[in-house]
Structure formats: structure tokens, C-alpha cells
């Protein structure tokens, strides 16, 4: 107990050096916590943005369509029928379903033309699944029965379009003949998912079906479900499709998040590397500190040996001191991290600094918000203390192993 | 040479004559390259590191020329440090022992001062208290008065003498100050590592 007290009191020696190392540890620890928070925030937001504005939780389509879904072909479409829709809708855990007809189109504003993705939606059902309507910044979503379109702000800017302007969508029908959709813009959206803003034109489902000559057919259903339950709900859906002899399949949003998932795997590696560096900094700091202290206290160590202290008892005194530094550095790091993560969670981090994030396949518009990862705090703190204890042992033994005569008389 | 229990022995000799070396060998900190050291009849060179530490812990007190107090501990705590190593009794008993010994060396009232708030003589008295508190059989003091003026040196020697009489503790201390050695009842003179004189006085 007395050794413990002595170890703690020794913390007050060389205050400047100890404060410096505590600060270094705190800085390293908090950097890790901030990075962890941002990375997780980015991942979470990306997933949310994919789910909430693009895929829903689950998509239902024919496997043949799903495989080539990026091609936006008008093949392997689903013929709508009430019974099928009912059965999907009534599946346990499904909160909403939105039939979508996706198609390739060229948008023409009378001067220029740009390739876009057309999406025919049934507006009421769409609103049950997606939150896009909350991000209409000008005009409004089209009303049911209204033959109007909604486009993203970036696209509008690019094509110099405003609400109430008319656009022409050049499309190819199922039979590969050209057709056009002439339609008025009802509203402009600026959703958190940049993909929505850059190149999508929403039109009423019936308008799209007519123009493409696909009578009452859709590409897929996007479903909103209880979140986290996707896998179980998919099982239920597949089961019911089997019973009804339907070839439909259900796909989790995760399958559309491959780029983000790949990124988050890289993220784990990155965080691991940062963690190693952070712990290495702590380790070197502690080792350095113990060695310097031991050199300064040579005569004291000699005196302790003369008093009959065993080596491990002297080591213990140094370990208590090192642990104290680890605890204080860890605490300060967690506090700094707490402040930083609070800030990041509230104000976010503008990714304008790193360029357009959608270039990296990250569907985030402008700010990444930090998330709270409380286990990271306790994990880091405990790990930090353990590292402090362990890295003090060797240099402390080196110190305690000194020949007492040499230590006392500085020979 | 043989030192008897309760003797107050001075080792006198010029610098480099081997005073420190002799004390360190007696104190189990150093080992002789020739000859042997016996403590209580036990041959020291036959003991393990651990046993040597235990001999020092229970039987020997050291007093150094440079005091070697721990700067972050108060006078009281520096003394407490030594007794805690061998005595695991209750706080109140420890306190009584520590205060008693501090009183004996005349430091009552200064017990909560840190070493840097004490004079050289006071520091050396803390060191004496630290060596005495565990009531060892033998106290080894290597030039305990070398850093002190003659008045303080006399004070420190007085206290050592008093403790020697009261507790019958064996003292061996080295000095090269002729003024100090008159207190001793045994006088050993070293020259070039050899004993050149050994006298007992009444
Ligand atoms: N009996 C001995 N045989 C061989 N070498 C010795 C002997 N005694 C002392 N020495 C050597 O002499 C040197 C000086 O010895 P020591 O430091 O003990 O002297 P000292 O009397 O304490 O001197 P100071 O007054 O300067 O403290 C040391 O290197 C020590 O190894
Ligand atoms: Mg000497």
C-alpha cells in the first residue's frame, strides 16, 4: 500500500514531463476516437442514404432482372397483380412497398441533352418507403394522378431547369422504338444521397408504363421494413414466393452497398493501423518516461535496495507511476475524444475538403456526422492502461536491477 | 576485525582508504573479492540475493552522506517507508512508532515537511530516524556528518550516541573528520584498504 502511495506521489515529480506525455497520449487517443467516430458515421450515413433514398430495405425482383439491374433493361419485368402485391405487403415486418419502373432516358431541355435514369413511381406508395419528399426544396412532389416530374437540384442546375419548366425524356420502348415523355417539373429535390440529385427523373408510374409500352409492369418493388430484420423478412418473402410458385427473389439493401461495404472493410484496417500507432506512441512515451525517471532516481533506487526492498517491489513503484500516467492520459484522451465526437455528431465534418465523396462511391452529400461508439472509449481506455502497465515492466526491472553500490554512489 | 553488539565504532581514514567499501561489505550491498563477512555468525557470501535483501530489511539500517531521502515524501513518510517494509501492524501503531522516533531525533513539529524544506542537519536526522525506526541490530553510517557544519554534525552524532545507549544498537560509522571520532568508544583507522589501528575506549 505504501509503495502504491509512493508511486502516485512520484507522479508529481517532473510535472512538466509527465504532463507532456499525458498530453501526447491524450492527443493520440482522442485522434483515434475522432477517426473511429467519423468512419462509423460515414458508414452509417452511407447505409442510411442507400436505404432511405435508393433501395429501401429490401428489393423484390426477378433474379434475371436483378443480375443486370444496372443496365435498366425492360426485360424480366414484374407483371403487377393484386394478389402478389397483397401478399408482399402483408408479410410480417414489411411497412411499405413501392413499385418502380426504371428506365434509361435522355433528358432534353430544348438545347442540351443528358443521359438520366428515369424512375416511374406510384407516388403514394413511394412516399411510404422513401423520405425523398422531405427534401423537396422547390415546388413539391407530384400529386397522385398528376402527370408531372421531380428531378434533383444538381440535374436542374446542369440543365438550367426550374419548377414548371417542361422537359422532354427521350426513351426507347420495350419494342425498341423511340418515344418521348413531355412533362412539367413539379419539384426539385436535394436529398442526402447525391445520386438522387445528379441524374434521376421521377415520373408517375402510369406515364412511364405508357411511354415504354410496358403495360402494368414494373422493374422491382422497393420495400420498407423493420430495420435490422431484413434477413428474416427476406426468408419469409422467399418462402411465400415459393408457395405461390413465383420466381421472384428478395434482396437486402446490402447488396447495393457493395462499394460502401468494401470501403468499410478498408476502414477497419485503417482504424486498426491508427490504433497500433496510437498504442505505440503510448508505449514509447511510457518506456521513455520510466527510463528517464530511473536515471534521475538512481540514488533513490540504491537507497531502496539498501532498505532491503526486493526488485519486484521497486518495479511495482514504477509501475504504479506508469499506470497513473496511462490512466490520466487515457482519461484525458477520452475527455478530449468526448468533446470532439460531440462536436462531430452535432456539426459534422464537411467533406467538401476531400472533394466529391460520391466519386469514391460514398453516397453522402456534404457533411459526415460522427457517431457515438461508447465501447471504443472503454476499450481504448482499458487497452491504454494495460499497455502502460506492460510497457513499464521492462524498463522498471532494468532500473531495479542496478547494483546498489553503483546506484548509491553513482559509479 | 570483530564488532560487538552495542559498540559505537568509528572508521577513520583519508579519502580512498576504503571506508565506504568496508561498510558496504558489512551491509551486504557489496561482496568481498577476498576474505569473508559474518553477520550474527552467518557467512554473508553464502546468502542468496533474496536473503541478503531480507538481512538488510530486518537487521541493518543505513545512513548516507547524501541523506538519500525521497523528495516527494514528508519527513514522517520517509520514516514510515522503512517501517512499512517490515511491520504490517495497524496505522495507529505505526504512527506511534514513527512519531516516537521523530521525537527522539528532535524533529517533532517538522514531520510534515518535505526534504527540500529541511536543513542539512534536519535531513540527516530524518535519515537517522528512518534507519532507527525498525530497531535494527546494526546501523551503518557512511560519513553522516560530511555535509554538515560542526554544530549540526555534533547534534547528529549526539543523537546517534543517545540511540546507541538507549536501544543498544550497534553503530559503525565512517568519517574523516577528527572532531567527530572523539565520540566513539571504538576507533578503527584505515589506510590503503588496511586496518592500521584499532582501539577501544571507555
Ligand atoms: N581492502 C581493499 N582492497 C582493495 N581495494 C580496496 C579496498 N578498500 C577499498 N578499495 C578500493 O579503493 C577505492 C576507494 O575506496 P572507498 O570509496 O571505499 O574509499 P573511502 O574511504 O570511502 O573514500 P572517500 O573518503 O572518498 O569516500 C575503491 O575503488 C575500492 O574498490
Ligand atoms: Mg566513501
Amino acid at each position: 500500500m505504501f509503495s502504491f502511495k509512493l508511486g502516485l506521489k512520484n507522479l508529481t515529480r517532473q510535472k512538466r514531463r509527465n504532463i507532456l506525455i499525458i498530453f501526447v497520449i491524450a492527443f493520440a487517443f482522442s485522434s483515434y476516437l475522432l477517426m473511429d467516430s467519423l468512419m462509423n458515421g460515414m458508414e452509417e450515413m452511407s447505409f442510411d442514404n442507400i436505404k432511405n433514398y435508393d433501395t429501401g430495405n429490401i428489393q423484390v425482383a426477378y433474379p434475371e432482372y436483378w443480375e443486370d439491374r444496372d443496365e435498366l433493361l425492360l426485360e424480366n419485368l414484374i407483371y403487377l397483380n393484386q394478389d402478389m402485391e397483397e401478399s408482399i405487403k402483408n408479410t410480417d415486418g414489411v411497412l411499405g412497398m413501392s413499385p418502380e419502373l426504371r428506365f434509361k432516358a435522355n433528358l432534353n431541355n430544348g438545347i442540351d441533352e443528358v443521359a438520366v435514369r428515369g424512375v416511374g413511381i406510384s407516388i403514394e406508395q413511394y412516399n411510404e418507403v422513401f423520405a425523398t419528399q422531405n427534401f423537396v426544396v422547390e415546388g413539391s412532389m407530384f400529386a397522385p394522378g398528376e402527370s408531372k416530374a421531380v428531378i434533383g437540384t444538381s440535374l436542374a442546375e446542369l440543365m438550367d431547369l426550374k419548377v414548371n419548366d417542361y422537359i422532354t425524356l427521350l426513351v426507347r420502348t420495350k419494342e425498341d422504338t423511340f418515344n418521348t415523355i413531355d412533362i412539367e417539373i413539379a419539384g426539385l429535390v436535394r436529398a442526402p444521397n447525391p445520386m438522387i440529385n445528379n441524374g434521376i427523373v421521377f415520373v408517375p408510374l402510369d406515364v412511364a408504363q405508357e411511354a415504354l409500352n410496358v403495360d402494368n409492369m414494373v422493374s422491382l418493388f422497393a420495400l420498407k421494413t423493420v430495420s435490422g430484420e431484413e434477413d428474416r423478412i427476406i426468408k419469409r418473402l422467399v418462402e411465400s414466393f415459393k408457395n405461390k410458385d413465383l420466381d421472384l427473389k428478395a434482396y437486402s439493401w446490402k447488396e447495393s452497398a457493395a462499394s460502401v461495404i468494401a470501403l468499410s472493410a478498408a476502414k477497419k484496417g485503417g482504424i486498426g493501423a491508427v490504433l497500433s500507432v496510437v498504442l505505440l506512441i503510448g508505449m514509447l512515451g511510457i518506456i521513455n518516461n520510466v527510463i528517464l525517471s530511473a536515471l534521475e532516481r538512481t540514488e533513490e533506487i540504491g537507497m531502496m535496495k539498501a532498505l532491503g526492498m526486493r526488485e519486484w517491489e521497486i518495479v511495482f513503484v514504477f509501475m504504479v507511476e506508469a499506470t497513473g500516467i496511462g490512466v490520466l492520459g487515457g482519461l484525458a484522451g477520452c475527455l478530449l475524444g468526448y468533446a470532439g465526437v460531440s462536436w462531430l455528431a452535432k456539426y459534422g465534418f464537411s467533406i467538401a475538403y476531400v472533394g466529391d465523396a460520391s466519386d469514391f462511391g460514398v453516397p453522402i452529400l456534404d457533411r459526415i456526422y460522427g457517431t457515438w461508439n461508447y465501447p471504443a472509449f472503454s476499450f481504448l481506455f482499458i487497452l491504454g492502461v494495460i499497455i502502460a502497465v506492460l510497457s513499464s515492466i521492462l524498463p522498471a526491472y532494468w532500473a531495479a536491477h542496478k547494483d546498489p553500490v553503483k546506484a548509491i554512489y553513482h559509479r | 576485525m570483530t564488532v560487538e553488539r552495542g559498540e559505537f565504532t568509528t572508521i577513520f581514514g583519508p579519502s580512498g582508504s576504503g571506508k565506504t567499501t568496508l561498510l558496504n561489505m558489512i551491509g551486504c550491498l557489496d561482496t568481498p573479492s577476498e576474505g569473508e563477512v559474518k553477520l550474527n555468525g552467518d557467512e554473508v557470501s553464502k546468502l542468496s540475493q533474496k536473503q541478503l535483501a531480507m538481512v538488510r530489511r530486518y537487521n541493518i539500517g543505513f545512513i548516507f552522506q547524501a541523506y538519500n531521502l525521497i523528495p516527494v515524501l514528508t519527513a514522517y513518510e520517509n520514516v514510515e517507508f522503512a517501517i512499512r517494509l517490515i511491520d504490517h501492524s495497524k496505522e495507529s501503531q505505526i504512527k506511534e512508532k514513527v512519531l516516537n522516533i521523530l521525537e527522539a531525533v528532535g524533529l517533532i513539529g517538522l514531520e510534515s515537511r518535505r526534504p527540500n524544506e529541511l536543513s542539512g542537519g534536519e535531513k540527516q536526522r530524518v535519515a537517522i530516524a528512518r534507519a532507527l525506526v525498525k530497531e535494527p541490530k546494526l546501523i551503518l553510517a557512511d560519513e553522516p556528518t560530511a555535509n554538515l557544519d560542526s554544530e549540526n554534525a555534533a547534534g547528529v552524532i549526539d543523537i546517534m550516541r543517545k540511540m546507541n545507549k538507549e536501544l543498544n544498537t550497534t553503530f559503525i560509522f565512517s568519517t574523516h573528520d577528527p572532531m567527530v571520532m572523539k565520540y566513539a568508544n571504538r576507533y578503527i583507522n584505515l589506510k590503503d584498504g588496511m586496518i592500521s589501528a584499532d582501539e577501544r575506549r571507555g
Side-chain angles (χ1 to χ4, degrees):
Chain A
M1 258 353 267
F2 195 89
S3 304
F4 188 79
K5 188 163 118 187
L6 177 58
L8 289 186
K9 288 207 167 184
N10 277 341
L11 271 174
T12 63
R13 297 163 89 159
Q14 296 302 330
K15 279 202 194 77
R16 288 236 307 272
R17 194 174 72 216
N18 286 348
I19 288 172
L20 184 73
I21 156 128
I22 285 168
F23 185 79
V24 167
I25 291 176
F27 182 76
F29 275 31
S30 60
S31 306
Y32 168 80
L33 290 170
L34 291 190
M35 167 161 167
D36 181 65
S37 163
L38 264 188
M39 290 297 212
N40 286 325
M42 182 184 81
E43 185 180 70
E44 205 168 280
M45 282 176 77
S46 301
F47 289 160
D48 280 351
N49 287 347
I50 288 171
K51 271 188 282 191
N52 296 343
Y53 309 100
D54 187 16
T55 67
N57 300 71
I58 293 174
Q59 288 175 299
V60 171
Y62 284 117
E64 296 82 5
Y65 180 84
W66 184 258
E67 252 167 57
D68 297 327
R69 63 190 184 281
D70 293 334
E71 310 279 319
L72 304 174
L73 303 175
L74 297 173
E75 291 161 14
N76 302 310
L77 301 181
I78 307 166
Y79 196 87
L80 289 179
N81 83 57
Q82 196 111 35
D83 182 42
M84 174 178 68
E85 283 187 72
E86 286 294 315
S87 91
I88 294 175
K89 212 173 186 170
N90 292 335
T91 303
D92 206 13
V94 174
L95 304 173
M97 74 183 286
S98 167
E100 289 184 6
L101 180 58
R102 300 183 165 191
F103 56 96
K104 271 191 270 193
N106 281 343
L107 185 155
N108 192 307
N109 64 356
I111 303 162
D112 294 314
E113 215 172 88
V114 62
V116 295
R117 185 213 281 187
V119 183
I121 54 172
S122 157
I123 189 68
E124 280 171 311
Q125 285 174 289
Y126 180 83
N127 287 344
E128 276 174 26
V129 176
F130 296 106
T132 314
Q133 57 175 333
N134 301 334
F135 297 91
V136 174
V137 289
E138 264 176 73
S140 61
M141 291 300 265
F142 47 82
E146 200 176 21
S147 184
K148 287 188 178 176
V150 169
I151 67 173
T153 47
S154 308
L155 183 60
E157 213 166 285
L158 178 74
M159 299 303 281
D160 200 17
L161 293 166
K162 293 185 293 294
V163 172
N164 296 336
D165 284 352
Y166 275 85
I167 53 171
T168 303
L169 292 175
L170 292 134
V171 297
R172 278 168 189 250
T173 66
K174 196 169 175 358
E175 292 77 25
D176 218 17
T177 58
F178 285 100
N179 201 352
T180 59
I181 303 173
D182 288 299
I183 199 160
E184 188 187 344
I185 297 173
L188 305 180
V189 290
R190 188 172 187 279
N193 186 335
M195 204 194 63
I196 301 281
N197 309 331
N198 293 341
I200 289 191
V201 177
F202 292 103
V203 296
L205 180 59
D206 49 353
V207 170
Q209 284 170 333
E210 200 185 309
L212 299 166
N213 204 14
V214 289
D215 188 30
N216 213 21
M217 298 216 272
V218 296
S219 319
L220 52 82
F221 296 109
L223 308 186
K224 184 185 169 102
T225 69
V226 180
S227 82
E229 297 276 298
E230 285 89 348
D231 292 345
R232 239 170 294 166
I233 295 166
I234 285 173
K235 254 187 213 147
R236 277 180 218 139
L237 285 167
V238 169
E239 190 79 7
S240 85
F241 295 151
K242 221 186 252 166
N243 292 340
K244 291 200 154 56
D245 243 356
L246 291 166
D247 293 329
L248 286 173
K249 280 256 158 67
Y251 303 93
S252 160
W253 60 270
K254 285 176 201 143
E255 302 199 26
S256 305
S259 62
V260 179
I261 288 171
L263 210 70
S264 72
K267 170 203 90 170
K268 289 202 180 94
I271 288 184
V274 170
L275 181 63
S276 321
V277 171
V278 162
L279 293 179
L280 192 72
I281 290 173
M283 217 167 102
L284 293 179
I286 297 277
I287 290 176
N288 173 60
N289 206 53
V290 173
I291 290 178
L292 289 180
S293 302
L295 288 175
E296 284 156 10
R297 300 179 203 157
T298 312
E299 286 133 313
E300 205 172 301
I301 295 168
M303 180 276 290
M304 288 174 167
K305 296 198 109 172
L307 275 184
M309 270 176 99
R310 309 285 314 281
E311 275 179 21
W312 65 264
E313 289 171 315
I314 297 172
V315 167
F316 181 78
V317 175
F318 279 99
M319 261 169 69
V320 170
E321 187 179 353
T323 310
I325 288 176
V327 167
L328 290 177
L331 272 182
C334 286
L335 275 177
L336 259 177
Y338 183 87
V341 172
S342 303
W343 195 85
L344 280 180
K346 192 162 178 208
Y347 301 109
F349 172 80
S350 173
I351 53 178
Y353 299 125
V354 272
D356 191 346
S358 49
D359 291 350
F360 310 111
V362 178
I364 291 178
L365 199 53
D366 44 23
R367 279 185 170 271
I368 299 178
Y369 290 88
T371 50
W372 285 103
N373 182 8
Y374 295 108
F377 281 74
S378 37
F379 166 76
L380 189 64
F381 179 74
I382 292 167
L383 203 61
V385 173
I386 291 174
I387 292 277
V389 173
L390 293 184
S391 42
S392 67
I393 291 179
L394 265 184
Y397 255 107
W398 166 79
H401 196 66
K402 283 196 177 126
D403 179 348
V405 175
K406 287 189 181 129
I408 295 169
Y409 299 95
H410 251 315
R411 283 184 189 153
Chain B
M1 74 182 229
T2 307
V3 178
E4 303 294 338
R5 173 147 204 162
E7 270 189 335
F8 196 72
T9 306
T10 322
I11 297 172
F12 183 78
S15 188
S17 57
K19 305 183 291 293
T20 299
T21 308
L22 178 60
L23 286 179
N24 285 341
M25 286 188 302
I26 299 170
C28 307
L29 288 172
D30 212 348
T31 43
S33 49
E34 265 176 65
E36 52 180 40
V37 179
K38 281 187 178 174
L39 271 179
N40 260 338
D42 294 330
E43 167 72 55
V44 165
S45 63
K46 293 208 177 91
L47 300 178
S48 67
Q49 283 294 321
K50 181 187 172 180
Q51 286 168 318
L52 288 175
M54 291 305 124
V55 169
R56 292 199 295 268
R57 181 182 292 204
Y58 289 96
N59 300 321
I60 303 176
F62 285 90
I63 299 169
F64 304 101
Q65 178 181 338
Y67 326 124
N68 289 22
L69 301 176
I70 297 179
V72 285
L73 299 182
T74 62
Y76 177 91
E77 288 165 336
N78 265 291
V79 177
E80 185 189 4
F81 185 28
I83 184 104
R84 288 276 186 197
L85 285 175
I86 62 160
D87 188 339
H88 303 289
S89 29
K90 273 190 292 201
E91 181 74 38
S92 57
Q93 282 165 288
I94 298 269
K95 189 167 184 183
E96 200 188 315
K97 280 191 186 174
V98 174
L99 288 178
N100 278 345
I101 203 77
L102 282 172
E103 190 180 3
V105 299
L107 284 176
I108 285 300
L110 303 180
E111 63 266 22
S112 56
R113 291 210 191 166
R114 301 259 173 101
N116 62 3
E117 300 161 334
L118 295 170
S119 73
E122 287 162 347
K123 277 189 251 201
Q124 197 57 299
R125 281 188 273 160
V126 175
I128 293 171
R130 179 177 63 190
L132 283 169
V133 70
K134 56 189 182 183
E135 295 176 19
K137 297 191 181 74
L138 173 64
I139 288 194
L140 301 169
D142 189 14
E143 305 199 33
T145 58
N147 287 354
L148 302 176
D149 59 44
S150 55
E151 198 178 320
N152 272 310
V156 161
I157 298 287
D158 274 342
I159 285 160
M160 291 183 6
R161 193 82 181 92
K162 184 177 113 193
M163 290 294 132
N164 163 252
K165 281 191 180 127
E166 280 176 17
L167 304 169
N168 199 28
T169 310
T170 313
F171 272 80
I172 306 177
F173 72 97
S174 70
T175 184
H176 53 223
D177 179 355
M179 202 267 308
V180 169
M181 55 186 206
K182 65 174 183 267
Y183 290 87
N185 59 14
R186 182 166 177 195
Y187 163 87
I188 292 170
N189 200 354
L190 281 189
K191 213 179 232 172
D192 300 330
M194 304 301 284
I195 296 174
S196 62
D198 183 354
E199 311 166 1
R200 284 196 170 84
R201 297 185 286 212

